[in-house]
Amino acid sequence: MTTPPQDQNPNTPASAEPTAPQAPYPPHQGAPFQGAPVPPPAPTNRFGKKLVRIGVFIVVAIAIAGGKWYFNQSDAETTSVGACMHNDGTDTDADLNEVDCTSSDAQFKVVQKFDNTSDANKCEAVTESTIAYYQQGGSHDVVLCLKEV
């Protein structure tokens, strides 16, 4: 009888070829094993995005409304006493625009202005006034008392 080599179990049959160690789990089918699982992407904050869109919409709407208000104002509404005007229209359909008083285009000078009224007769009490100009619309009614330059 033969004695088994040292460090071997006497009940294990001797093998001619050494075997490779076995992997603890079978190989993964499909994609190769890459380590720890990847967590799912963080959920998007749809409520926050919706709030931002609503805020941008409100700001744009206010800007458009402000622009319409500003650009729809006529020179008669925004002019002040002492300003000079030029009529780009006719005597029956006037279109007054403010011009520099030193300009050769200056035809009239505003001597009195009445806001929020349509009573052109108010200019009769203004001694310097020779022409009353009434404009309705825009943001309010305006009466200008003018004198020729």
PDB file of all heavy atoms in Angstrom, residues 3-24:
ATOM      1  N   THR A   3       1.473   5.279   0.646  1.00  0.00           N
ATOM      2  CA  THR A   3       1.056   6.340   1.558  1.00  0.00           C
ATOM      3  C   THR A   3       0.775   7.604   0.754  1.00  0.00           C
ATOM      4  O   THR A   3       1.502   7.933  -0.176  1.00  0.00           O
ATOM      5  CB  THR A   3       2.149   6.637   2.597  1.00  0.00           C
ATOM      6  OG1 THR A   3       3.311   6.976   1.929  1.00  0.00           O
ATOM      7  CG2 THR A   3       2.323   5.510   3.549  1.00  0.00           C
ATOM      8  N   PRO A   4      -0.292   8.227   1.129  1.00  0.00           N
ATOM      9  CA  PRO A   4      -0.616   9.458   0.383  1.00  0.00           C
ATOM     10  C   PRO A   4       0.381  10.544   0.719  1.00  0.00           C
ATOM     11  O   PRO A   4       0.961  10.564   1.789  1.00  0.00           O
ATOM     12  CB  PRO A   4      -2.014   9.837   0.858  1.00  0.00           C
ATOM     13  CG  PRO A   4      -2.192   9.142   2.162  1.00  0.00           C
ATOM     14  CD  PRO A   4      -1.271   7.963   2.160  1.00  0.00           C
ATOM     15  N   PRO A   5       0.525  11.463  -0.216  1.00  0.00           N
ATOM     16  CA  PRO A   5       1.439  12.576   0.051  1.00  0.00           C
ATOM     17  C   PRO A   5       0.905  13.430   1.182  1.00  0.00           C
ATOM     18  O   PRO A   5      -0.273  13.428   1.476  1.00  0.00           O
ATOM     19  CB  PRO A   5       1.492  13.352  -1.250  1.00  0.00           C
ATOM     20  CG  PRO A   5       0.658  12.626  -2.229  1.00  0.00           C
ATOM     21  CD  PRO A   5      -0.012  11.505  -1.526  1.00  0.00           C
ATOM     22  N   GLN A   6       1.802  14.136   1.770  1.00  0.00           N
ATOM     23  CA  GLN A   6       1.425  14.998   2.872  1.00  0.00           C
ATOM     24  C   GLN A   6       0.504  16.093   2.365  1.00  0.00           C
ATOM     25  O   GLN A   6       0.556  16.512   1.227  1.00  0.00           O
ATOM     26  CB  GLN A   6       2.677  15.629   3.478  1.00  0.00           C
ATOM     27  CG  GLN A   6       2.860  15.211   4.871  1.00  0.00           C
ATOM     28  CD  GLN A   6       4.121  15.829   5.442  1.00  0.00           C
ATOM     29  OE1 GLN A   6       4.911  16.430   4.762  1.00  0.00           O
ATOM     30  NE2 GLN A   6       4.306  15.644   6.721  1.00  0.00           N
ATOM     31  N   ASP A   7      -0.350  16.645   3.260  1.00  0.00           N
ATOM     32  CA  ASP A   7      -1.307  17.716   2.967  1.00  0.00           C
ATOM     33  C   ASP A   7      -2.398  17.254   2.015  1.00  0.00           C
ATOM     34  O   ASP A   7      -2.996  18.067   1.331  1.00  0.00           O
ATOM     35  CB  ASP A   7      -0.608  18.955   2.393  1.00  0.00           C
ATOM     36  CG  ASP A   7       0.316  19.598   3.412  1.00  0.00           C
ATOM     37  OD1 ASP A   7       0.096  19.408   4.622  1.00  0.00           O
ATOM     38  OD2 ASP A   7       1.226  20.312   2.970  1.00  0.00           O
ATOM     39  N   GLN A   8      -2.673  16.007   1.885  1.00  0.00           N
ATOM     40  CA  GLN A   8      -3.768  15.529   1.065  1.00  0.00           C
ATOM     41  C   GLN A   8      -4.652  14.649   1.913  1.00  0.00           C
ATOM     42  O   GLN A   8      -4.209  13.966   2.811  1.00  0.00           O
ATOM     43  CB  GLN A   8      -3.247  14.713  -0.125  1.00  0.00           C
ATOM     44  CG  GLN A   8      -2.747  15.586  -1.238  1.00  0.00           C
ATOM     45  CD  GLN A   8      -2.486  14.727  -2.482  1.00  0.00           C
ATOM     46  OE1 GLN A   8      -2.575  13.495  -2.450  1.00  0.00           O
ATOM     47  NE2 GLN A   8      -2.164  15.399  -3.561  1.00  0.00           N
ATOM     48  N   ASN A   9      -5.927  14.680   1.567  1.00  0.00           N
ATOM     49  CA  ASN A   9      -6.889  13.849   2.262  1.00  0.00           C
ATOM     50  C   ASN A   9      -6.718  12.423   1.763  1.00  0.00           C
ATOM     51  O   ASN A   9      -6.741  12.184   0.569  1.00  0.00           O
ATOM     52  CB  ASN A   9      -8.288  14.379   1.964  1.00  0.00           C
ATOM     53  CG  ASN A   9      -9.364  13.669   2.771  1.00  0.00           C
ATOM     54  OD1 ASN A   9      -9.098  12.659   3.434  1.00  0.00           O
ATOM     55  ND2 ASN A   9     -10.558  14.207   2.702  1.00  0.00           N
ATOM     56  N   PRO A  10      -6.607  11.466   2.666  1.00  0.00           N
ATOM     57  CA  PRO A  10      -6.389  10.085   2.204  1.00  0.00           C
ATOM     58  C   PRO A  10      -7.609   9.493   1.535  1.00  0.00           C
ATOM     59  O   PRO A  10      -7.502   8.550   0.786  1.00  0.00           O
ATOM     60  CB  PRO A  10      -6.051   9.338   3.486  1.00  0.00           C
ATOM     61  CG  PRO A  10      -6.508  10.207   4.606  1.00  0.00           C
ATOM     62  CD  PRO A  10      -6.541  11.584   4.094  1.00  0.00           C
ATOM     63  N   ASN A  11      -8.787  10.055   1.744  1.00  0.00           N
ATOM     64  CA  ASN A  11      -9.992   9.512   1.122  1.00  0.00           C
ATOM     65  C   ASN A  11     -10.277  10.116  -0.237  1.00  0.00           C
ATOM     66  O   ASN A  11     -11.207   9.713  -0.909  1.00  0.00           O
ATOM     67  CB  ASN A  11     -11.193   9.730   2.029  1.00  0.00           C
ATOM     68  CG  ASN A  11     -11.061   8.983   3.336  1.00  0.00           C
ATOM     69  OD1 ASN A  11     -10.424   7.914   3.377  1.00  0.00           O
ATOM     70  ND2 ASN A  11     -11.622   9.528   4.400  1.00  0.00           N
ATOM     71  N   THR A  12      -9.545  11.111  -0.685  1.00  0.00           N
ATOM     72  CA  THR A  12      -9.759  11.750  -1.982  1.00  0.00           C
ATOM     73  C   THR A  12      -8.905  11.039  -3.001  1.00  0.00           C
ATOM     74  O   THR A  12      -7.713  10.816  -2.783  1.00  0.00           O
ATOM     75  CB  THR A  12      -9.326  13.228  -1.926  1.00  0.00           C
ATOM     76  OG1 THR A  12      -9.992  13.857  -0.859  1.00  0.00           O
ATOM     77  CG2 THR A  12      -9.617  13.950  -3.201  1.00  0.00           C
ATOM     78  N   PRO A  13      -9.541  10.640  -4.103  1.00  0.00           N
ATOM     79  CA  PRO A  13      -8.737   9.957  -5.115  1.00  0.00           C
ATOM     80  C   PRO A  13      -7.744  10.933  -5.738  1.00  0.00           C
ATOM     81  O   PRO A  13      -8.021  12.105  -5.924  1.00  0.00           O
ATOM     82  CB  PRO A  13      -9.754   9.497  -6.148  1.00  0.00           C
ATOM     83  CG  PRO A  13     -10.988  10.299  -5.908  1.00  0.00           C
ATOM     84  CD  PRO A  13     -10.931  10.761  -4.490  1.00  0.00           C
ATOM     85  N   ALA A  14      -6.645  10.449  -6.074  1.00  0.00           N
ATOM     86  CA  ALA A  14      -5.607  11.284  -6.675  1.00  0.00           C
ATOM     87  C   ALA A  14      -5.996  11.581  -8.094  1.00  0.00           C
ATOM     88  O   ALA A  14      -6.466  10.727  -8.814  1.00  0.00           O
ATOM     89  CB  ALA A  14      -4.272  10.570  -6.624  1.00  0.00           C
ATOM     90  N   SER A  15      -5.792  12.799  -8.482  1.00  0.00           N
ATOM     91  CA  SER A  15      -6.160  13.214  -9.826  1.00  0.00           C
ATOM     92  C   SER A  15      -4.901  13.543 -10.573  1.00  0.00           C
ATOM     93  O   SER A  15      -3.956  14.105 -10.023  1.00  0.00           O
ATOM     94  CB  SER A  15      -7.079  14.428  -9.722  1.00  0.00           C
ATOM     95  OG  SER A  15      -7.089  15.179 -10.891  1.00  0.00           O
ATOM     96  N   ALA A  16      -4.929  13.250 -11.823  1.00  0.00           N
ATOM     97  CA  ALA A  16      -3.751  13.492 -12.623  1.00  0.00           C
ATOM     98  C   ALA A  16      -3.643  14.975 -12.980  1.00  0.00           C
ATOM     99  O   ALA A  16      -2.558  15.495 -13.135  1.00  0.00           O
ATOM    100  CB  ALA A  16      -3.792  12.641 -13.877  1.00  0.00           C
ATOM    101  N   GLU A  17      -4.777  15.650 -13.163  1.00  0.00           N
ATOM    102  CA  GLU A  17      -4.755  17.066 -13.573  1.00  0.00           C
ATOM    103  C   GLU A  17      -5.327  17.948 -12.474  1.00  0.00           C
ATOM    104  O   GLU A  17      -6.346  17.644 -11.884  1.00  0.00           O
ATOM    105  CB  GLU A  17      -5.604  17.256 -14.831  1.00  0.00           C
ATOM    106  CG  GLU A  17      -5.056  16.539 -16.025  1.00  0.00           C
ATOM    107  CD  GLU A  17      -5.938  16.755 -17.234  1.00  0.00           C
ATOM    108  OE1 GLU A  17      -6.706  17.734 -17.257  1.00  0.00           O
ATOM    109  OE2 GLU A  17      -5.881  15.956 -18.148  1.00  0.00           O
ATOM    110  N   PRO A  18      -4.688  19.064 -12.231  1.00  0.00           N
ATOM    111  CA  PRO A  18      -5.249  19.983 -11.231  1.00  0.00           C
ATOM    112  C   PRO A  18      -6.465  20.701 -11.829  1.00  0.00           C
ATOM    113  O   PRO A  18      -6.512  20.979 -13.014  1.00  0.00           O
ATOM    114  CB  PRO A  18      -4.121  20.964 -10.935  1.00  0.00           C
ATOM    115  CG  PRO A  18      -3.186  20.861 -12.088  1.00  0.00           C
ATOM    116  CD  PRO A  18      -3.381  19.508 -12.703  1.00  0.00           C
ATOM    117  N   THR A  19      -7.463  21.013 -11.018  1.00  0.00           N
ATOM    118  CA  THR A  19      -8.668  21.693 -11.512  1.00  0.00           C
ATOM    119  C   THR A  19      -8.613  23.171 -11.146  1.00  0.00           C
ATOM    120  O   THR A  19      -8.045  23.564 -10.144  1.00  0.00           O
ATOM    121  CB  THR A  19      -9.942  21.074 -10.901  1.00  0.00           C
ATOM    122  OG1 THR A  19      -9.844  21.186  -9.492  1.00  0.00           O
ATOM    123  CG2 THR A  19     -10.106  19.646 -11.315  1.00  0.00           C
ATOM    124  N   ALA A  20      -9.265  23.997 -11.997  1.00  0.00           N
ATOM    125  CA  ALA A  20      -9.313  25.445 -11.762  1.00  0.00           C
ATOM    126  C   ALA A  20     -10.361  25.727 -10.699  1.00  0.00           C
ATOM    127  O   ALA A  20     -11.354  25.007 -10.592  1.00  0.00           O
ATOM    128  CB  ALA A  20      -9.664  26.165 -13.046  1.00  0.00           C
ATOM    129  N   PRO A  21     -10.158  26.748  -9.896  1.00  0.00           N
ATOM    130  CA  PRO A  21     -11.169  27.054  -8.876  1.00  0.00           C
ATOM    131  C   PRO A  21     -12.467  27.489  -9.540  1.00  0.00           C
ATOM    132  O   PRO A  21     -12.481  28.133 -10.583  1.00  0.00           O
ATOM    133  CB  PRO A  21     -10.547  28.193  -8.077  1.00  0.00           C
ATOM    134  CG  PRO A  21      -9.494  28.783  -8.958  1.00  0.00           C
ATOM    135  CD  PRO A  21      -9.055  27.689  -9.881  1.00  0.00           C
ATOM    136  N   GLN A  22     -13.589  27.149  -8.941  1.00  0.00           N
ATOM    137  CA  GLN A  22     -14.887  27.477  -9.500  1.00  0.00           C
ATOM    138  C   GLN A  22     -15.302  28.883  -9.088  1.00  0.00           C
ATOM    139  O   GLN A  22     -15.037  29.318  -7.965  1.00  0.00           O
ATOM    140  CB  GLN A  22     -15.943  26.491  -9.001  1.00  0.00           C
ATOM    141  CG  GLN A  22     -16.112  25.318  -9.900  1.00  0.00           C
ATOM    142  CD  GLN A  22     -17.365  24.554  -9.502  1.00  0.00           C
ATOM    143  OE1 GLN A  22     -17.721  24.515  -8.338  1.00  0.00           O
ATOM    144  NE2 GLN A  22     -18.009  23.934 -10.468  1.00  0.00           N
ATOM    145  N   ALA A  23     -15.984  29.588  -9.995  1.00  0.00           N
ATOM    146  CA  ALA A  23     -16.517  30.926  -9.690  1.00  0.00           C
ATOM    147  C   ALA A  23     -17.705  30.766  -8.766  1.00  0.00           C
ATOM    148  O   ALA A  23     -18.448  29.788  -8.874  1.00  0.00           O
ATOM    149  CB  ALA A  23     -16.929  31.624 -10.974  1.00  0.00           C
ATOM    150  N   PRO A  24     -17.932  31.694  -7.849  1.00  0.00           N
ATOM    151  CA  PRO A  24     -19.034  31.540  -6.905  1.00  0.00           C
ATOM    152  C   PRO A  24     -20.397  31.652  -7.588  1.00  0.00           C
ATOM    153  O   PRO A  24     -21.367  31.113  -7.108  1.00  0.00           O
ATOM    154  CB  PRO A  24     -18.830  32.673  -5.905  1.00  0.00           C
ATOM    155  CG  PRO A  24     -17.941  33.648  -6.583  1.00  0.00           C
ATOM    156  CD  PRO A  24     -17.146  32.880  -7.582  1.00  0.00           C
TER     157      PRO A  24
END
